[in-house]
Amino acid sequence: MDYREFFSRFKHLSSKQGIGGRIKVHPEDFIVWEEPLPSIFEGRKYAIFLLKKRNWETMAVIKEIAKRAGIDYREIGFAGTKDRHAVTYQYISVPARAKEKVEAVDIKDVELSFVSYGRFIKLGHLLGNRFRIIVRDVAENAFEMTREIFGELHATGGFPNYFGYQRFGERRVVNHIVGKLLLTGDFEGAARLFLGAYDGSMAGDEARRNFWESGDVEKALEEFPRFLRYERTLLHRYKTTGSWKRAFLSLPLPVMRIFIHAYQSYLFNLYLSRRIEEGLPLNEPLVGDVVVQVKGGIPYRDRTYRVTETNLEFVRRKIAENRAMISGPVFGFAMRRARGVPGRLEEEILEGEGISLEVFKRLPKPLSEPGGRRELLLRPTGLAYGYIPGVGMCFRFFLPKGTYATAVLREIMKDH
């Protein structure tokens, strides 16, 4: 199952026909500019560089820069990962002592420009991202179709804020299933899926298929390509411990979190889709909803309050003024739960999955997930679009951190 088939289970908010088309035909069709927090430029311990990359994964290029500059890759800070099949601009921090070495680094399709001194950049140290995206091979009347879709979504309050396919895997759409198996304690099942799932078009698929059919760890260690380093780490660790749980816990924490976060994202997408399917509004508060505060167009997900009969009109005004947004659940053991009809829907999602919030506490503490809330709607700012003859539609917009341009495009293109 590829990501298009996977995403077809999540409902569109717009009922209008999509423009179709293709994205990322060329890296230059998908350009991303990071908007950092101003505070990253405070201090003198680190040198801040603007990193421009083309067709590079963020972690891969960070490690390559570190290798060539002779520093540990963990000394390089960045605020978020960016698309591989794209041209992206983002800020990185390196120790001030390494400034000259980093300036001398020469990597194909990578440019590094010193900006200023500042602090170590951590994940989340950004306001959001600006995008310029070209969609090729669109319908002939794509401009008019886009205008109609935007008109419909303006009336419903914005775009559905789905987690994008990047969370789940573009071809091996299994991250969320591995996450659920880990949370429910089925480490052997998680290992079988992580190591053995294949789609038939990726390097290493034959080795994966052989493991799926035989479960032979020794043979897998002989056959798995070297570039599947996390898979090989898992196999080696199982060989020495005989425990799939210990093997998984030997993986780097960020890798383990990918699986847990993918499952949380899947549950959120299910909730959002069910809400659309049942005709429950996304921009009109219901008693029992939990709303997040919004300031300057940026949602503050740690600032929430519940809608009651008493404050219902107050919340309506706040939402109309774009100072609050209705949220959905990012399930976790300390999540603020909705009540009323929204709360019933949350319960049904958990019951349908056969889990409780307690499962998010079962893993070792660094992996336990408190959960939280996430706004149901996505409101791009600075949105502009136009038709380029012989090319397709061009879109420009800004999105706050933690949201996905592909969620915006999905509603316009209706390609999955």
Side-chain angles (χ1 to χ4, degrees):
M1 176 173 63
D2 70 5
Y3 77 91
R4 287 183 175 84
E5 184 183 349
F6 170 70
F7 255 83
S8 66
R9 69 188 66 181
F10 304 132
K11 300 292 182 182
H12 291 282
L13 185 55
S14 164
S15 61
K16 302 290 185 183
Q17 183 181 349
I19 67 171
R22 295 185 297 155
I23 61 170
K24 301 183 179 181
V25 175
H26 308 293
E28 289 74 17
D29 289 351
F30 202 97
I31 304 179
V32 187
W33 293 270
E34 185 176 83
E35 293 285 350
L37 289 177
S39 60
I40 70 167
F41 301 110
E42 298 171 359
R44 300 283 300 176
K45 291 184 178 180
Y46 291 86
I48 308 296
F49 283 83
L50 179 63
L51 163 65
K52 176 188 176 184
K53 62 181 183 63
R54 180 185 186 275
N55 260 349
W56 274 91
E57 290 179 348
T58 300
M59 261 325 298
V61 78
I62 292 294
K63 288 184 175 181
E64 190 63 25
I65 292 167
K67 177 183 174 182
R68 299 199 187 195
I71 59 178
D72 191 316
Y73 74 90
R74 285 166 292 197
E75 293 184 284
I76 301 179
F78 58 96
T81 57
K82 298 286 181 284
D83 294 80
R84 175 185 177 181
H85 301 295
V87 175
T88 70
Y89 297 78
Q90 67 187 114
Y91 294 90
I92 66 170
S93 62
V94 304
R97 58 178 166 77
K99 175 179 176 289
E100 286 74 21
K101 290 182 179 178
V102 171
E103 284 180 315
V105 165
D106 184 16
I107 303 172
K108 186 177 184 298
D109 291 329
V110 173
E111 294 178 18
L112 286 160
S113 307
F114 174 71
V115 178
S116 74
Y117 290 97
R119 60 191 290 194
F120 183 77
I121 302 175
K122 295 181 180 179
L123 288 174
H125 278 178
L126 75 161
L127 295 170
N129 298 285
R130 287 186 291 119
F131 297 88
R132 196 226 65 179
I133 300 169
I134 289 176
V135 183
R136 297 178 182 268
D137 303 328
V138 296
E140 286 186 14
N141 58 336
F143 184 86
E144 291 76 15
M145 294 170 76
T146 300
R147 185 165 53 196
E148 289 183 5
I149 292 168
F150 285 179
E152 187 179 11
L153 292 174
H154 179 74
T156 55
F159 293 76
N161 191 20
Y162 286 119
F163 284 96
Y165 64 78
Q166 299 93 322
R167 281 265 166 155
F168 309 102
E170 188 169 348
R171 287 183 285 185
R172 291 199 329 144
V173 189
V174 298
N175 287 352
H176 62 298
I177 307 174
V178 173
K180 180 179 181 179
L181 292 169
L182 292 173
L183 285 165
T184 54
D186 186 357
F187 290 90
E188 183 176 355
R192 178 177 166 79
L193 191 61
F194 174 54
L195 295 169
Y198 61 93
D199 83 329
S201 66
M202 300 170 68
D205 271 354
E206 185 176 352
R208 290 188 186 278
R209 183 176 64 249
N210 291 340
F211 179 79
W212 181 263
E213 294 171 353
S214 70
D216 189 328
V217 171
E218 292 284 356
K219 186 179 180 183
L221 280 169
E222 292 176 7
E223 295 182 342
F224 269 53
R226 294 289 174 186
F227 69 84
L228 296 177
R229 59 188 184 279
Y230 297 129
E231 287 86 344
R232 293 184 61 82
T233 296
L234 195 70
L235 290 162
H236 276 295
R237 188 64 174 166
Y238 177 76
K239 183 180 176 182
T240 59
T241 65
S243 165
W244 285 117
K245 181 176 181 178
R246 289 182 183 176
F248 262 108
L249 294 177
S250 71
L251 294 177
L253 201 57
V255 175
M256 285 286 283
R257 281 183 170 150
I258 284 171
F259 302 127
I260 308 303
H261 291 166
Y263 186 54
Q264 290 176 304
S265 303
Y266 172 67
L267 295 179
F268 175 88
N269 282 7
L270 274 183
Y271 175 87
L272 177 50
S273 182
R274 280 282 304 279
R275 190 152 172 155
I276 294 171
E277 186 177 10
E278 294 192 12
L280 300 177
L282 306 185
N283 67 334
E284 183 71 25
L286 302 174
V287 172
D289 264 324
V290 177
V291 298
V292 299
Q293 293 186 34
V294 177
K295 189 175 182 180
I298 305 295
Y300 287 80
R301 296 167 186 153
D302 57 342
R303 302 177 190 174
T304 65
Y305 50 94
R306 189 176 285 112
V307 181
T308 65
E309 293 280 5
T310 306
N311 69 5
L312 184 59
E313 288 305 318
F314 169 80
V315 175
R316 279 188 180 132
R317 287 199 309 273
K318 291 291 183 185
I319 291 174
E321 296 166 355
N322 198 25
R323 295 170 65 186
M325 298 181 80
I326 300 165
S327 72
V330 178
F331 288 105
F333 65 84
M335 179 194 81
R336 187 171 193 178
R337 303 187 71 166
R339 294 176 182 164
V341 174
R344 183 261 302 165
L345 191 53
E346 290 180 9
E347 282 294 335
E348 289 177 0
I349 296 292
L350 293 174
E351 288 172 6
E353 289 290 302
I355 61 167
S356 71
L357 293 184
E358 290 304 306
V359 300
F360 293 96
K361 253 186 179 176
R362 288 181 186 167
L363 288 177
K365 197 170 183 179
L367 285 170
S368 62
E369 276 294 332
R373 307 295 303 187
R374 174 184 172 88
E375 62 281 4
L376 296 177
L377 286 170
L378 183 54
R379 292 171 179 156
T381 56
L383 182 59
Y385 61 96
Y387 181 75
I388 304 173
V391 177
M393 290 292 294
C394 180
F395 297 91
R396 295 177 182 268
F397 50 84
F398 171 85
L399 294 179
K401 67 178 180 180
T403 58
Y404 292 81
T406 49
V408 174
L409 295 171
R410 178 178 183 264
E411 203 68 22
I412 300 167
M413 298 167 67
K414 303 289 197 318
D415 62 331
H416 57 280

